[in-house]
Amino acid sequence: MSDHGGLHPAQPFPEAAREQVVRAQLRANLRKVTHTIREKRANVVGELPQWEQLRTLGAATKDASLANLSDRLLQLEQSVKARGGHVHWARDAQEAREIVARIAAAHGARELIKVKSITSDEIELNRALEERGIHAIETDLAELIVQLSHDRPSHILVPAIHRNRAEIQALFNAELPGEGELPDDPAALAAAARRYLRHKFLTTKMAVSGANFAIAETGTVCVVESEGNGRMCVTLPEVLVSIMGIEKVLETWEDISVFMELLPRSSTAERMNPYNSFWSGVTPGDGPQEFHLVLLDNGRTNVLADDFGRQTLRCIRCSACLNVCPVYERAGGHAYGSVYPGPIGAILTPQLLGMHDKNANTLPGASSLCGACYDVCPVKINIPQVLIYLRSEANLQKGLTAEALAMKGMKFVMSEGWRFEGALELARVGQGPLVHGDAITSLPGPLAGWTQVRDLKPFPKEGFRDWWRNRPAPVDAAPPAIVQKAEEGPVPPQKKEGGQFDAEPPREDTL
Amino acid sequence: MTAEPFPSTAEAKLELLTRINRAIAGAEQQPLPPYPVSAPLSREAVLHQFEDRILDYKAAFTRVLAGEIVGAVAAALGGARRVIVPPGLAAAWLPAGLDMLRDDPPLSHADLDRAEAVVTGCAVAVSETGTIILDHGPDQGRRALSLIPDLHVCLVRGDQVVQTVRQAVDTVAASVRAGRPLTWLSGGSATSDIELVRVEGVHGPRHLHVIVVE
Ligand code: SF4
């Protein structure tokens, strides 16, 4: 089996989530951050009346690039080489690590500086380098916090979102040499990080970055950031290695425009983020004089091969879907067990690893299917639809399980009113021994899977139908007002024999 | 520099391309929809919008007539004396009495670190997003010059300010095709990594002063 690096969840999502949801501090931090970004985002998006058309164009631009991916990558390779850079192809995480490690070894590097990059987390680059005696220093403030605390990132954009200032103060006091006692003020903590890292920027000979986009036509690689650490890393060292997933390539320079409109507003809720760097191979006299671009597959071609799941590769890692997701807000990034958390992680991770992976294939269940992720996605990935699609794929893998049987039974019971009422009566009587307090916390036998992830409310003594029949007659017999229908969410597909999809209303699951 | 230091990747490349071709066989390509553009604003409105956005990033903004440049630069520099000046920037725009660091021959990282400020031009600016784009032409210098000093004073000609990102991308297309790097600046360096409290200035210049000249 090939090595997938940091993609792989160590446990199924329901187990991991159960451990995380009880952490009150984590939930409080997460709620504050996701809600703040969410509101700011809505404001800056509202400034552009053509936002919906920009999304459509963004999606179409990525699709066009993916439809010609091999041509685009070959063109990118040529352009980068024509500008004096090197291009490497990596089938999996291990190959990518090997390439970076060999470049470092060729330069005798003992230390290198890094721009925040999920792709490098995906291939577990830091660990691999450490094993060879090469120390990779994270230069993004949040990544530095994560690295110093031997933790894992919990959010794509704000990886240390789960830590508050007091925790960071204690960490810096213990870990940053020569800083003395720091106060818990964010400005003072950021200043301490600045002093610590500045020396590294000015003296380190090699840097590693990810890439937000790469332009096939011109060989231009792009890094989008806020702090300036990215500019430092891609400008000051002598050697630069950028690792990018193969799906990041665009065709022409002009294609970058729509993403520079979509990404910052979706991501940090700014009209534009403070710094974007673009470079093409090597520029004599300016910046690194040796440049390597690593093109990484690591499961992406699995995703590409699925006509329906392919849209997942449009993702530009803005993290907007995380910030609106009620499941992410409660469970936190670590519950997903992979470097890709939240709604995008719930569809990307199992597809990259393949649906036979029994931990990853629990991730499509990590959703309430409320549709908020689809509404915010700047490249219109229909995450709820892909989730449903993957759930059905996972069920196909499992064959006929107790859950599948139970669903069949439910369909039989609910298709006729009298059967449904009879079943309710039975349930009210039958549940007696299972109710503890006001919840059913564990069901017996094959149904245990349900209560492992949710507490059930017991059936009420009197159901709606009984209450309706027995209610006192209304004084004024005016016809009831029509309750306004809730806005329709995106429609999930059901896979049918011929690979076609049928529209059905979304099912509400709760965590 | 060796031409191809890792010949083993030829095999990886072949397999990767085979996987991709198998995966996208039969994938259809739709024509791209047209690029949606904002309703155009008047010149004056564009400049106002630009000012508004720059101030929103907590950067400083001054708008002057050509004859007032020197005074505006002096005011923007404040007490900074050791100032980096790119090789192509007109000396006539700079106030007297500066300790000018010309990047010719190239300054070392340590020299750059000792500088207090840098004065540059730009390639184009975007009003809708408050973005300044450097293509590192002669009046802007190489990337490190505008990166290391703590204060960046950037001179923007009024006619360099366009309204949309798309217009700016078109403006610098020739530079990119010629292989030049680009730096896009929108305000100064900032982080919000600790409890989302915005802290100005982490690694890049902590202060940006934009001077629009007409
Ligand atoms: S799936 Fe869409 S919303 Fe989520 S990170 Fe990717 S681009 Fe952003």
Side-chain angles (χ1 to χ4, degrees), chain A residues 359-402:
Chain A
N359 288 346
N361 74 20
T362 62
L363 287 169
S367 168
S368 63
L369 299 180
C370 66
C373 48
Y374 175 54
D375 293 339
V376 297
C377 179
V379 285
K380 282 190 154 174
I381 301 171
N382 196 328
I383 300 175
Q385 262 195 1
V386 179
L387 284 165
I388 303 271
Y389 171 70
L390 294 177
R391 285 183 194 181
S392 84
E393 290 284 304
N395 278 326
L396 287 177
Q397 296 276 348
K398 280 192 259 171
L400 213 52
T401 60

Short mmCIF file of all heavy atoms in Angstrom, two decimals, chain A residues 359-402:
data_model
loop_
_atom_site.label_atom_id
_atom_site.label_comp_id
_atom_site.label_asym_id
_atom_site.label_seq_id
_atom_site.Cartn_x
_atom_site.Cartn_y
_atom_site.Cartn_z
N ASN A 359 -11.94 4.04 8.25
CA ASN A 359 -12.04 5.25 9.07
C ASN A 359 -12.48 6.44 8.22
O ASN A 359 -13.38 7.18 8.60
CB ASN A 359 -10.70 5.57 9.74
CG ASN A 359 -10.40 4.59 10.85
OD1 ASN A 359 -11.28 3.83 11.27
ND2 ASN A 359 -9.16 4.58 11.30
N ALA A 360 -11.84 6.58 7.07
CA ALA A 360 -12.17 7.73 6.21
C ALA A 360 -13.60 7.67 5.72
O ALA A 360 -14.26 8.70 5.57
CB ALA A 360 -11.21 7.78 5.02
N ASN A 361 -14.13 6.47 5.50
CA ASN A 361 -15.47 6.44 4.92
C ASN A 361 -16.57 6.71 5.95
O ASN A 361 -17.75 6.72 5.60
CB ASN A 361 -15.72 5.19 4.08
CG ASN A 361 -15.90 3.94 4.91
OD1 ASN A 361 -16.21 4.00 6.09
ND2 ASN A 361 -15.72 2.79 4.27
N THR A 362 -16.19 7.00 7.19
CA THR A 362 -17.18 7.50 8.15
C THR A 362 -17.34 9.02 8.03
O THR A 362 -18.29 9.60 8.55
CB THR A 362 -16.78 7.20 9.61
OG1 THR A 362 -15.54 7.86 9.90
CG2 THR A 362 -16.62 5.71 9.84
N LEU A 363 -16.39 9.68 7.34
CA LEU A 363 -16.41 11.15 7.28
C LEU A 363 -17.62 11.73 6.54
O LEU A 363 -18.14 12.77 6.96
CB LEU A 363 -15.10 11.67 6.67
CG LEU A 363 -13.89 11.56 7.60
CD1 LEU A 363 -12.61 11.84 6.83
CD2 LEU A 363 -14.02 12.54 8.77
N PRO A 364 -18.09 11.10 5.46
CA PRO A 364 -19.28 11.67 4.82
C PRO A 364 -20.50 11.71 5.74
O PRO A 364 -21.48 12.41 5.46
CB PRO A 364 -19.53 10.74 3.63
CG PRO A 364 -18.20 10.16 3.33
CD PRO A 364 -17.53 9.99 4.67
N GLY A 365 -20.45 11.02 6.88
CA GLY A 365 -21.53 11.11 7.85
C GLY A 365 -21.42 12.35 8.73
O GLY A 365 -22.34 12.68 9.48
N ALA A 366 -20.27 13.05 8.64
CA ALA A 366 -20.03 14.19 9.52
C ALA A 366 -20.69 15.44 8.99
O ALA A 366 -20.05 16.44 8.71
CB ALA A 366 -18.52 14.42 9.66
N SER A 367 -21.99 15.40 8.81
CA SER A 367 -22.68 16.55 8.25
C SER A 367 -24.14 16.53 8.63
O SER A 367 -24.74 15.47 8.77
CB SER A 367 -22.56 16.54 6.73
OG SER A 367 -23.44 17.50 6.17
N SER A 368 -24.72 17.72 8.76
CA SER A 368 -26.15 17.81 8.99
C SER A 368 -26.88 18.03 7.67
O SER A 368 -28.09 18.16 7.65
CB SER A 368 -26.45 18.96 9.94
OG SER A 368 -26.06 20.17 9.34
N LEU A 369 -26.12 18.10 6.58
CA LEU A 369 -26.69 18.36 5.25
C LEU A 369 -27.53 19.63 5.22
O LEU A 369 -28.53 19.70 4.51
CB LEU A 369 -27.53 17.16 4.78
CG LEU A 369 -26.78 15.84 4.64
CD1 LEU A 369 -27.75 14.76 4.16
CD2 LEU A 369 -25.63 15.97 3.67
N CYS A 370 -27.09 20.64 5.97
CA CYS A 370 -27.87 21.87 6.01
C CYS A 370 -27.65 22.69 4.74
O CYS A 370 -28.42 23.59 4.44
CB CYS A 370 -27.52 22.70 7.23
SG CYS A 370 -25.84 23.34 7.22
N GLY A 371 -26.56 22.42 4.03
CA GLY A 371 -26.36 23.09 2.75
C GLY A 371 -25.57 24.40 2.83
O GLY A 371 -25.25 25.01 1.82
N ALA A 372 -25.22 24.83 4.05
CA ALA A 372 -24.51 26.11 4.20
C ALA A 372 -23.16 26.08 3.49
O ALA A 372 -22.72 27.08 2.93
CB ALA A 372 -24.32 26.44 5.68
N CYS A 373 -22.50 24.93 3.49
CA CYS A 373 -21.18 24.84 2.87
C CYS A 373 -21.25 25.07 1.37
O CYS A 373 -20.37 25.69 0.77
CB CYS A 373 -20.52 23.50 3.17
SG CYS A 373 -21.59 22.07 2.90
N TYR A 374 -22.32 24.60 0.77
CA TYR A 374 -22.48 24.80 -0.68
C TYR A 374 -22.72 26.27 -0.98
O TYR A 374 -22.17 26.83 -1.93
CB TYR A 374 -23.64 23.94 -1.18
CG TYR A 374 -23.98 24.13 -2.63
CD1 TYR A 374 -22.99 24.00 -3.61
CD2 TYR A 374 -25.28 24.44 -3.03
CE1 TYR A 374 -23.30 24.17 -4.95
CE2 TYR A 374 -25.58 24.61 -4.37
CZ TYR A 374 -24.59 24.49 -5.33
OH TYR A 374 -24.90 24.66 -6.65
N ASP A 375 -23.54 26.91 -0.16
CA ASP A 375 -23.85 28.33 -0.39
C ASP A 375 -22.60 29.21 -0.36
O ASP A 375 -22.52 30.19 -1.07
CB ASP A 375 -24.84 28.85 0.66
CG ASP A 375 -26.20 28.20 0.52
OD1 ASP A 375 -26.49 27.68 -0.58
OD2 ASP A 375 -26.97 28.22 1.50
N VAL A 376 -21.65 28.89 0.51
CA VAL A 376 -20.48 29.77 0.62
C VAL A 376 -19.34 29.37 -0.30
O VAL A 376 -18.44 30.17 -0.52
CB VAL A 376 -19.92 29.84 2.06
CG1 VAL A 376 -20.95 30.44 3.01
CG2 VAL A 376 -19.43 28.49 2.55
N CYS A 377 -19.35 28.17 -0.80
CA CYS A 377 -18.17 27.70 -1.56
C CYS A 377 -17.95 28.57 -2.81
O CYS A 377 -18.80 28.66 -3.68
CB CYS A 377 -18.34 26.24 -1.97
SG CYS A 377 -16.91 25.67 -2.93
N PRO A 378 -16.78 29.21 -2.89
CA PRO A 378 -16.54 30.14 -4.00
C PRO A 378 -16.41 29.44 -5.35
O PRO A 378 -16.48 30.10 -6.38
CB PRO A 378 -15.23 30.83 -3.61
CG PRO A 378 -14.55 29.86 -2.70
CD PRO A 378 -15.65 29.18 -1.95
N VAL A 379 -16.18 28.13 -5.35
CA VAL A 379 -16.09 27.41 -6.63
C VAL A 379 -17.23 26.42 -6.77
O VAL A 379 -17.15 25.47 -7.55
CB VAL A 379 -14.72 26.71 -6.80
CG1 VAL A 379 -13.65 27.74 -7.13
CG2 VAL A 379 -14.34 25.93 -5.56
N LYS A 380 -18.30 26.68 -6.00
CA LYS A 380 -19.55 25.95 -6.15
C LYS A 380 -19.41 24.43 -6.09
O LYS A 380 -20.01 23.72 -6.90
CB LYS A 380 -20.22 26.32 -7.47
CG LYS A 380 -20.93 27.67 -7.44
CD LYS A 380 -21.74 27.81 -8.71
CE LYS A 380 -22.93 28.73 -8.55
NZ LYS A 380 -23.61 28.95 -9.81
N ILE A 381 -18.60 23.93 -5.19
CA ILE A 381 -18.57 22.49 -4.99
C ILE A 381 -19.85 22.13 -4.24
O ILE A 381 -20.11 22.70 -3.17
CB ILE A 381 -17.35 22.05 -4.16
CG1 ILE A 381 -16.07 22.47 -4.88
CG2 ILE A 381 -17.36 20.54 -3.93
CD1 ILE A 381 -14.82 22.27 -4.04
N ASN A 382 -20.63 21.23 -4.78
CA ASN A 382 -21.87 20.88 -4.11
C ASN A 382 -21.57 19.83 -3.04
O ASN A 382 -21.79 18.63 -3.21
CB ASN A 382 -22.91 20.39 -5.12
CG ASN A 382 -24.30 20.40 -4.51
OD1 ASN A 382 -24.45 20.20 -3.30
ND2 ASN A 382 -25.31 20.63 -5.32
N ILE A 383 -21.05 20.32 -1.93
CA ILE A 383 -20.58 19.42 -0.88
C ILE A 383 -21.70 18.50 -0.37
O ILE A 383 -21.48 17.29 -0.25
CB ILE A 383 -19.91 20.21 0.28
CG1 ILE A 383 -18.72 20.99 -0.28
CG2 ILE A 383 -19.46 19.28 1.40
CD1 ILE A 383 -18.04 21.90 0.73
N PRO A 384 -22.91 19.02 -0.09
CA PRO A 384 -23.96 18.11 0.39
C PRO A 384 -24.25 16.98 -0.60
O PRO A 384 -24.41 15.83 -0.20
CB PRO A 384 -25.18 19.03 0.55
CG PRO A 384 -24.62 20.39 0.71
CD PRO A 384 -23.36 20.43 -0.08
N GLN A 385 -24.28 17.31 -1.87
CA GLN A 385 -24.52 16.26 -2.86
C GLN A 385 -23.41 15.22 -2.88
O GLN A 385 -23.66 14.03 -2.95
CB GLN A 385 -24.64 16.88 -4.25
CG GLN A 385 -26.06 17.09 -4.68
CD GLN A 385 -26.18 17.36 -6.18
OE1 GLN A 385 -25.20 17.38 -6.92
NE2 GLN A 385 -27.41 17.58 -6.61
N VAL A 386 -22.18 15.72 -2.81
CA VAL A 386 -21.06 14.77 -2.83
C VAL A 386 -21.10 13.91 -1.57
O VAL A 386 -20.81 12.71 -1.61
CB VAL A 386 -19.71 15.51 -2.99
CG1 VAL A 386 -18.56 14.52 -2.98
CG2 VAL A 386 -19.68 16.32 -4.28
N LEU A 387 -21.50 14.51 -0.44
CA LEU A 387 -21.60 13.74 0.81
C LEU A 387 -22.59 12.58 0.66
O LEU A 387 -22.29 11.44 1.03
CB LEU A 387 -22.07 14.65 1.95
CG LEU A 387 -21.05 15.61 2.56
CD1 LEU A 387 -21.76 16.66 3.40
CD2 LEU A 387 -20.05 14.85 3.41
N ILE A 388 -23.76 12.90 0.12
CA ILE A 388 -24.78 11.85 -0.04
C ILE A 388 -24.27 10.78 -0.99
O ILE A 388 -24.43 9.58 -0.75
CB ILE A 388 -26.07 12.46 -0.65
CG1 ILE A 388 -26.57 13.58 0.19
CG2 ILE A 388 -27.11 11.37 -0.86
CD1 ILE A 388 -27.50 13.21 1.25
N TYR A 389 -23.65 11.25 -2.04
CA TYR A 389 -23.11 10.33 -3.04
C TYR A 389 -22.09 9.39 -2.39
O TYR A 389 -22.12 8.18 -2.58
CB TYR A 389 -22.48 11.15 -4.15
CG TYR A 389 -21.69 10.36 -5.16
CD1 TYR A 389 -22.32 9.52 -6.06
CD2 TYR A 389 -20.30 10.47 -5.21
CE1 TYR A 389 -21.59 8.80 -6.98
CE2 TYR A 389 -19.57 9.77 -6.13
CZ TYR A 389 -20.21 8.92 -7.01
OH TYR A 389 -19.48 8.21 -7.92
N LEU A 390 -21.21 9.98 -1.55
CA LEU A 390 -20.18 9.16 -0.92
C LEU A 390 -20.79 8.23 0.13
O LEU A 390 -20.29 7.12 0.34
CB LEU A 390 -19.10 10.04 -0.28
CG LEU A 390 -18.27 10.85 -1.27
CD1 LEU A 390 -17.28 11.74 -0.52
CD2 LEU A 390 -17.53 9.95 -2.25
N ARG A 391 -21.85 8.68 0.81
CA ARG A 391 -22.50 7.78 1.78
C ARG A 391 -23.04 6.56 1.05
O ARG A 391 -22.93 5.43 1.53
CB ARG A 391 -23.65 8.50 2.48
CG ARG A 391 -23.19 9.49 3.52
CD ARG A 391 -24.39 10.10 4.21
NE ARG A 391 -23.98 11.27 4.97
CZ ARG A 391 -24.81 12.01 5.70
NH1 ARG A 391 -26.09 11.70 5.76
NH2 ARG A 391 -24.36 13.04 6.36
N SER A 392 -23.62 6.81 -0.11
CA SER A 392 -24.16 5.65 -0.82
C SER A 392 -23.02 4.76 -1.31
O SER A 392 -23.12 3.54 -1.29
CB SER A 392 -25.10 6.09 -1.95
OG SER A 392 -24.37 6.40 -3.12
N GLU A 393 -21.90 5.40 -1.70
CA GLU A 393 -20.73 4.61 -2.09
C GLU A 393 -20.25 3.76 -0.91
O GLU A 393 -19.90 2.60 -1.06
CB GLU A 393 -19.60 5.53 -2.55
CG GLU A 393 -19.85 6.22 -3.85
CD GLU A 393 -19.68 5.30 -5.05
OE1 GLU A 393 -18.61 4.69 -5.18
OE2 GLU A 393 -20.64 5.17 -5.82
N ALA A 394 -20.20 4.39 0.27
CA ALA A 394 -19.72 3.67 1.46
C ALA A 394 -20.66 2.51 1.78
O ALA A 394 -20.21 1.42 2.15
CB ALA A 394 -19.63 4.62 2.65
N ASN A 395 -21.95 2.73 1.61
CA ASN A 395 -22.89 1.65 1.88
C ASN A 395 -22.75 0.51 0.88
O ASN A 395 -22.86 -0.65 1.24
CB ASN A 395 -24.33 2.19 1.88
CG ASN A 395 -24.68 2.82 3.21
OD1 ASN A 395 -24.20 2.35 4.25
ND2 ASN A 395 -25.45 3.87 3.19
N LEU A 396 -22.48 0.88 -0.37
CA LEU A 396 -22.25 -0.16 -1.37
C LEU A 396 -21.05 -1.01 -0.97
O LEU A 396 -21.06 -2.22 -1.13
CB LEU A 396 -22.00 0.47 -2.75
CG LEU A 396 -23.23 1.05 -3.43
CD1 LEU A 396 -22.85 1.69 -4.76
CD2 LEU A 396 -24.27 -0.05 -3.66
N GLN A 397 -20.05 -0.34 -0.42
CA GLN A 397 -18.86 -1.07 0.03
C GLN A 397 -19.20 -2.04 1.15
O GLN A 397 -18.65 -3.11 1.26
CB GLN A 397 -17.80 -0.09 0.57
CG GLN A 397 -17.25 0.87 -0.46
CD GLN A 397 -16.12 0.24 -1.26
OE1 GLN A 397 -15.62 -0.80 -0.90
NE2 GLN A 397 -15.76 0.87 -2.37
N LYS A 398 -20.14 -1.59 2.01
CA LYS A 398 -20.45 -2.39 3.19
C LYS A 398 -21.41 -3.52 2.87
O LYS A 398 -21.55 -4.44 3.66
CB LYS A 398 -21.08 -1.50 4.27
CG LYS A 398 -20.05 -0.70 5.05
CD LYS A 398 -20.68 -0.07 6.27
CE LYS A 398 -20.96 1.40 6.02
NZ LYS A 398 -21.75 2.07 7.02
N GLY A 399 -22.12 -3.44 1.74
CA GLY A 399 -23.12 -4.44 1.44
C GLY A 399 -24.37 -4.17 2.25
O GLY A 399 -24.60 -3.06 2.71
N LEU A 400 -25.18 -5.19 2.49
CA LEU A 400 -26.44 -5.01 3.20
C LEU A 400 -26.18 -5.09 4.70
O LEU A 400 -25.99 -6.16 5.27
CB LEU A 400 -27.42 -6.09 2.75
CG LEU A 400 -28.89 -5.64 2.73
CD1 LEU A 400 -29.06 -4.35 1.93
CD2 LEU A 400 -29.76 -6.74 2.14
N THR A 401 -26.18 -3.94 5.36
CA THR A 401 -25.90 -3.92 6.79
C THR A 401 -27.21 -3.78 7.56
O THR A 401 -28.27 -3.60 6.98
CB THR A 401 -25.03 -2.70 7.13
OG1 THR A 401 -25.76 -1.55 6.74
CG2 THR A 401 -23.70 -2.75 6.42
N ALA A 402 -27.07 -3.82 8.87
CA ALA A 402 -28.25 -3.63 9.73
C ALA A 402 -28.89 -2.28 9.45
O ALA A 402 -30.10 -2.14 9.40
CB ALA A 402 -27.83 -3.72 11.19
#
